[in-house]
Amino acid sequence: MQVASDPRAVIPERALVLELTSAVGLFQQAAQALGLEWLGSMVSDPDALDEEEEADVPADADAPPVSKVFYLTMPSEQGLQTLLRAWRRFKAGELAASPDQNQLWNIFEHLADLRTWSTKDRIDPSLAQYVEAILSARPDDLVSLEVDLWYRNDGQRRDQALAKLYGLAQAAGGGFDDTVEIPEIQYQGVLVRIPGVVARQLIMGEGGLARLDDIMRIRPQAAFDSQDLVELPEPLALEKQQAPASTKCVAAILDGYPVLQHEALSGRVTALEVDVTAAQVPANARLHGTAMASLIVRGDLSDEAGPLASPLGVIPVLSAGLHNRETTPTGKLAIGVIHRALKALVQQRAQMDSPFSRVVVVNHSICDTHVPFVRAPSPWASLIDYYSHHHQLLFVVSAGNIDAPIPVADAATAQALEQMNPTNRDALVINSLRESSGTRGLLSPAETVNGLTVGALHADIGDDAGGTEIDPFQGLEMMGLGSALGMGVNRSVKPDLIANGGRTALKISTRAGQVQVHPAPSQRMGHKVARPGVAGESNRYGLSAGTSDAAALTTRSAVQIATELEEIFRQDGDSWAERPTRATILKALLVHSAQWGDVGKLFFDLIKDPSHHKRRLAEKNETTRYVGFGKTDPERVLGGTTNRITLLADDQIEPNGRHVFKLPVPTRMLRSRDVRTITFTLAWTTPIVVFSTDYRGVSLKLVDGNGKQIFWQGVSRADVDQPVQATMERGTVVHMQLQGHTLWRYGKGDSQTLEIGVQSMSKHPSTKNASVPYALAVTIEVAQSVDTKVYEQIRDDVRARQAQQQRTRTIVRS
């Protein structure tokens, strides 16, 4: 028998569904005692304790049992029926018939249910609300649904499943709009349209579609709804800038079609048409793509920071839908549109004369509004993870905007909340946000493990709000009310980063006697961005806010870092454009300067219970759900000081191998009792195994020179505000800061050597020969300035050894 955490791993004819009530680790122990084999690696136990903590209770010890779902493949139909009969006897209160059955009864103790794959598993829980929303507005419409078929390696069986589904759809008075197969992620999907009456039968588990065994899941059609963009009353006076110094794009966006001739973008954006053409999108509907291109190319126009040195590529994937709102193209599966766009990008990168030939960053500020991430990675996220690893691309993905209102239980009336002292109201709103956080999870594909997911801060650099609008946080750095929250796959760190998402106004309303708040587009606050006028004018501007903005500004930072690195590599006689580790280098450096900052400290202090020190792990994990690794500060990467030195290593590592780096540190940096800080960030991409328990084919870990995690004397990570190490190690970024001020002596002479290792672990037999690219950034900083000779000594030491082994370089110049 084989157990998996993803239904794509099982053989549907011999599949059983297990719903757990106990901790995953406890069930796993009972299952292994009986001889069950876990597909892929051992499950990443969310109840495991980080070895650095003194806690002796699980992070969720005080929480009620949570149902967890796993899938069991039986070796035969006879075995499947035998197990089901035993389960029914157990549920009836019968005792085990033999000592061998006692072990089986031990497993059953951890289960809420054991069943064959049924309509309960086939019909997505969000389908009912989706169907009713469509039919309540347009009762005569056909309803479009996404159907995921069980992926069969045999092409003939895939065709047969498709034919059965088509026959049922036609018999119900519907048909197919689109079909997509992506073997790389074991996906076969169909966009089916059916009459409303049939859709209502379906959500009740009735009809042929609900019972078709070839169907794995039926869910709402993936769609993106763009946020509102308030138009400014007057044009901006933009300073005329020279054309980009380069003709090659470093970044590309998958988004709406921008206004290419807008005065803020003219000559700086180049489009590649695949599914969406300019003729399909009226100029006045090109809001989201224009705004995102504007933020990447020029930043927040309130800042007047100037445009990037390279053009921006765009592959339009949004078309004009109802009322000219940008959305995924009608009649097409969103995953197919994204897949074809990325295939076209990869083809363009192979052509040396293409402006897309040097693209390494892909901005993905769109998400599936209808499908939040729940436990297992979506096919959309798997697609991004596949392209990220196999084509060396860094995807910067928005966490998603949650429009659902936030209940404010302690507010008597909407008027009372509105008239409340601003400081007290802010505190009440923040606590209400915390209490509703469980319903505000990431929107797919933000769960991507190889990409960087960005959440939105309620922050911009514009003027104070003024007027009658309420700024919910009165200048306090805080998470945006609409920003989706983590965690990610296997409870890994998500979002990875937070960035300015623009400020929104606080809207207060009452529903069913309950006071509630939610973010509303502001007439005064937000990022200033380019947008078309209502008549399609190319000199209009607007105010934008949300996680899309935060991701776009992070992409801009990535391009700025890439531009700086290109110069550094050129000075070293190396080619940045040909580096197979470029994506992981940018990923590491974007995270490298991240800190929880004021917003992380605020949440941690709110969550922290001083009377229960043993809950510290849980408190850090809850804070991580909001802020991830924190807010990045590219200037700490791009600029240098005399008391801070940053070193960068990049390479590709074989499975189960270890690379050890020796970092020279002059003793003058360590001979005082001043506080010193060591920050290291390890980033990589992994091949994915969509049906394995871990999902990642390869994981990396930071170790010391002996392969342990003792690291260096004189510094500690215990008191630093940052995610728990075990949580970090479930993803593809480890970002750790150590601080200390005690004296340390190690080695002799004018410099000492710190050793840090990168350990690789294959997580699945299919990846035992898969090497992965990675980058490691290390910054050493002391409180007092040291003379420039220290920097020069480190630089010369690194370059001397670099001549022997091309792995490490200094990237910051004082």
Side-chain angles (χ1 to χ4, degrees):
M1 293 183 285
Q2 295 179 321
V3 180
S5 61
D6 192 303
R8 288 176 285 186
V10 302
I11 299 171
E13 294 84 356
R14 294 187 272 113
L16 289 173
V17 182
L18 297 83
E19 286 191 17
L20 276 62
T21 55
S22 64
V24 176
L26 295 176
F27 170 73
Q28 181 176 291
Q29 293 171 12
Q32 288 177 321
L34 189 63
L36 271 70
E37 175 187 350
W38 288 81
L39 287 177
S41 66
M42 302 288 279
V43 67
S44 294
D45 183 7
D47 304 275
L49 295 175
D50 185 23
E51 55 192 27
E52 76 171 330
E53 300 289 340
E54 297 178 5
D56 58 8
V57 294
D60 58 354
D62 297 335
V66 177
S67 176
K68 306 174 184 74
V69 182
F70 285 84
Y71 308 95
L72 185 70
T73 294
M74 299 297 297
S76 67
E77 172 69 20
Q78 180 182 356
L80 183 147
Q81 295 301 331
T82 299
L83 191 59
L84 285 174
R85 284 194 296 271
W87 168 252
R88 287 192 288 269
R89 292 199 305 272
F90 171 82
K91 292 294 286 183
E94 297 180 22
L95 297 177
S98 67
D100 286 343
Q101 277 199 344
N102 282 332
Q103 288 185 323
L104 193 58
W105 257 240
N106 287 340
I107 288 180
F108 290 163
E109 292 284 355
H110 300 286
L111 300 182
D113 195 11
L114 175 67
R115 62 179 184 276
T116 55
W117 193 268
S118 66
T119 56
K120 181 177 180 180
D121 310 288
R122 197 170 287 124
I123 309 300
D124 191 281
S126 63
L127 193 64
Q129 184 177 357
Y130 166 80
V131 169
E132 291 305 323
I134 291 175
L135 296 180
S136 62
R138 302 181 301 277
D140 297 328
D141 275 11
L142 292 175
V143 178
S144 293
L145 307 172
E146 285 196 25
V147 176
D148 296 342
L149 296 168
W150 293 101
Y151 187 84
R152 316 283 190 163
N153 291 322
D154 184 341
Q156 185 175 357
R157 294 193 68 184
R158 293 200 300 273
D159 292 342
Q160 289 171 350
L162 209 60
K164 288 182 190 176
L165 178 60
Y166 185 71
L168 285 172
Q170 274 203 319
F176 284 7
D177 279 334
D178 195 13
T179 62
V180 174
E181 287 187 13
I182 309 176
E184 294 87 348
I185 60 170
Q186 297 192 337
Y187 171 81
Q188 183 183 19
V190 185
L191 185 60
V192 177
R193 63 181 183 279
I194 54 177
V197 64
V198 178
R200 284 198 167 108
Q201 290 174 351
L202 178 64
I203 60 180
M204 299 299 294
E206 301 171 358
L209 284 173
R211 294 190 293 269
L212 181 60
D213 289 336
D214 292 289
I215 294 176
M216 183 174 71
R217 186 162 288 119
I218 305 174
R219 50 195 172 88
Q221 179 185 4
F224 170 75
D225 292 326
S226 59
Q227 63 235 46
D228 292 320
L229 199 63
V230 174
E231 184 173 2
L232 291 172
E234 299 292 336
L236 300 179
L238 286 188
E239 222 178 281
K240 190 161 184 181
Q241 302 281 347
Q242 293 182 344
S246 170
T247 60
K248 300 289 187 178
C249 304
V250 175
I253 63 173
L254 304 181
D255 213 288
Y257 213 123
V259 179
L260 300 178
Q261 298 307 314
H262 195 286
E263 64 179 16
L265 303 177
S266 182
R268 302 184 182 279
V269 179
T270 181
L272 174 64
E273 294 183 350
V274 182
D275 274 82
V276 178
T277 66
Q280 295 172 320
V281 192
N284 62 359
R286 300 183 186 187
L287 296 171
H288 196 265
T290 303
M292 295 307 104
S294 174
L295 282 169
I296 295 171
V297 169
R298 289 183 174 269
D300 185 346
L301 291 171
S302 295
D303 189 24
E304 299 181 356
L308 294 174
S310 58
L312 175 68
V314 57
I315 307 177
V317 294
L318 301 179
S319 187
L322 194 65
H323 307 305
N324 265 355
R325 288 185 68 90
E326 290 167 291
T327 186
T328 45
T330 303
K332 293 185 180 181
L333 285 164
I335 191 172
V337 175
I338 300 297
H339 181 41
R340 291 186 289 272
L342 291 173
K343 282 178 68 175
L345 174 59
V346 169
Q347 291 166 359
Q348 288 290 312
R349 290 173 86 212
Q351 301 174 22
M352 295 304 295
D353 59 344
S354 168
F356 290 81
S357 62
R358 295 177 67 177
V359 167
V360 65
V361 185
V362 178
N363 181 261
H364 195 291
S365 284
I366 57 177
C367 56
D368 188 348
T369 308
H370 295 145
V371 181
F373 159 64
V374 181
R375 220 171 59 85
S378 64
W380 196 337
S382 295
L383 183 71
I384 286 176
D385 288 329
Y386 170 80
Y387 273 95
S388 176
H389 177 72
H390 290 280
H391 297 287
Q392 298 87 46
L393 291 167
L394 172 61
F395 286 83
V396 180
V397 182
S398 58
N401 299 317
I402 307 297
D403 295 328
I406 299 169
V408 185
D410 294 331
T413 65
Q415 185 180 20
L417 183 62
E418 186 173 339
Q419 295 176 352
M420 190 178 290
N421 174 280
T423 302
N424 295 338
R425 183 178 57 224
D426 292 352
L428 199 56
V429 170
I430 291 170
N431 278 321
S432 299
L433 175 62
R434 274 197 60 217
E435 291 167 1
S436 66
S437 62
T439 63
R440 308 181 76 80
L442 302 171
L443 297 182
S444 295
E447 72 272 21
T448 165
V449 300
N450 283 332
L452 285 179
T453 301
V454 187
L457 284 169
H458 177 82
D460 53 55
I461 58 174
D463 299 329
D464 291 340
T468 59
E469 290 182 336
I470 300 176
D471 181 345
F473 305 122
Q474 304 296 314
L476 177 70
E477 186 171 74
M478 177 49 55
M479 291 303 297
L481 283 179
S483 184
L485 309 174
M487 311 279 268
V489 176
N490 284 330
R491 292 181 64 182
S492 56
V493 174
K494 287 290 170 182
D496 299 276
L497 297 171
I498 51 177
N500 286 1
R503 291 173 296 164
T504 55
L506 182 71
K507 184 175 180 180
I508 304 173
S509 60
T510 304
R511 183 175 181 182
Q514 174 70 65
V515 178
Q516 55 188 21
V517 298
H518 47 91
S522 169
Q523 302 295 318
R524 297 172 177 270
M525 300 180 289
H527 294 128
K528 287 184 180 178
V529 296
R531 62 155 286 165
V534 292
E537 301 96 325
S538 58
N539 64 342
R540 306 300 295 178
Y541 297 87
L543 294 170
S544 178
T547 58
S548 293
D549 295 41
L553 290 175
T554 303
T555 297
R556 176 177 170 85
S557 296
V559 176
Q560 291 171 323
I561 293 173
T563 302
E564 181 77 8
L565 286 172
E566 192 164 3
E567 174 62 17
I568 292 171
F569 274 69
R570 187 190 64 77
Q571 290 181 2
D572 283 349
D574 203 348
S575 172
W576 161 255
E578 297 175 6
R579 203 77 179 172
T581 52
R582 281 192 307 159
T584 55
I585 290 173
L586 290 178
K587 184 176 176 179
L589 292 180
L590 278 170
V591 178
H592 189 55
S593 63
Q595 293 181 323
W596 276 6
D598 292 340
V599 62
K601 182 173 179 3
L602 188 148
F603 272 112
F604 190 47
D605 288 345
L606 284 173
I607 295 162
K608 189 164 52 179
D609 184 351
S611 64
H612 289 83
H613 173 70
K614 293 180 180 181
R615 295 279 298 160
R616 186 154 59 98
L617 178 146
E619 291 157 356
K620 282 191 171 184
N621 275 339
E622 186 176 345
T623 305
T624 300
R625 293 186 60 220
Y626 295 91
V627 300
F629 293 111
K631 184 178 181 180
T632 189
D633 179 9
E635 287 303 315
R636 283 185 61 85
V637 175
L638 296 173
T641 65
T642 57
N643 67 326
R644 185 175 72 238
I645 181 76
T646 297
L647 301 130
L648 173 69
D650 66 310
D651 207 341
Q652 299 189 73
I653 190 167
E654 67 284 356
N656 303 314
R658 186 194 309 160
H659 291 174
V660 178
F661 298 92
K662 297 181 178 181
L663 310 179
V665 183
T667 53
R668 277 176 287 184
M669 292 186 73
L670 299 173
R671 274 182 182 157
S672 74
R673 292 188 181 274
D674 292 322
V675 173
R676 58 183 177 274
T677 302
I678 301 172
T679 304
F680 38 77
T681 307
L682 172 66
W684 71 98
T685 63
T686 173
I688 57 167
V689 185
V690 296
F691 52 79
S692 77
T693 305
D694 194 287
Y695 180 69
R696 303 171 304 166
V698 178
S699 69
L700 302 188
K701 183 178 286 191
L702 277 174
V703 296
D704 61 20
N706 297 316
K708 300 180 180 179
Q709 291 190 309
I710 300 173
F711 298 106
W712 307 304
Q713 299 174 4
V715 289
S716 170
R717 61 187 169 183
D719 297 324
V720 181
D721 291 340
Q722 59 190 347
V724 174
Q725 185 176 344
T727 304
M728 291 189 272
E729 290 177 350
R730 296 181 189 132
T732 57
V733 177
V734 175
H735 173 62
M736 202 178 305
Q737 189 175 92
L738 295 85
Q739 291 182 347
H741 53 78
T742 57
L743 287 171
W744 177 45
R745 292 284 186 270
Y746 183 78
K748 299 178 180 179
D750 290 335
S751 67
Q752 302 178 18
T753 300
L754 305 179
E755 292 188 350
I756 185 166
V758 176
Q759 178 71 53
S760 167
M761 291 155 286
S762 173
K763 309 292 282 186
H764 191 266
S766 65
T767 61
K768 64 182 180 180
N769 297 319
S771 62
V772 301
Y774 71 88
L776 171 65
V778 181
T779 292
I780 302 169
E781 184 174 6
V782 295
Q784 291 184 342
S785 295
V786 292
D787 58 73
T788 309
K789 291 181 180 178
V790 169
Y791 174 88
E792 293 173 349
Q793 183 179 341
I794 296 175
R795 179 198 61 199
D796 294 344
D797 194 321
V798 169
R799 285 182 173 170
R801 284 187 285 111
Q802 194 178 349
Q804 301 173 354
Q805 186 174 29
Q806 287 286 332
R807 278 190 189 169
T808 313
R809 73 183 68 243
T810 51
I811 64 166
V812 175
R813 291 158 291 179
S814 61

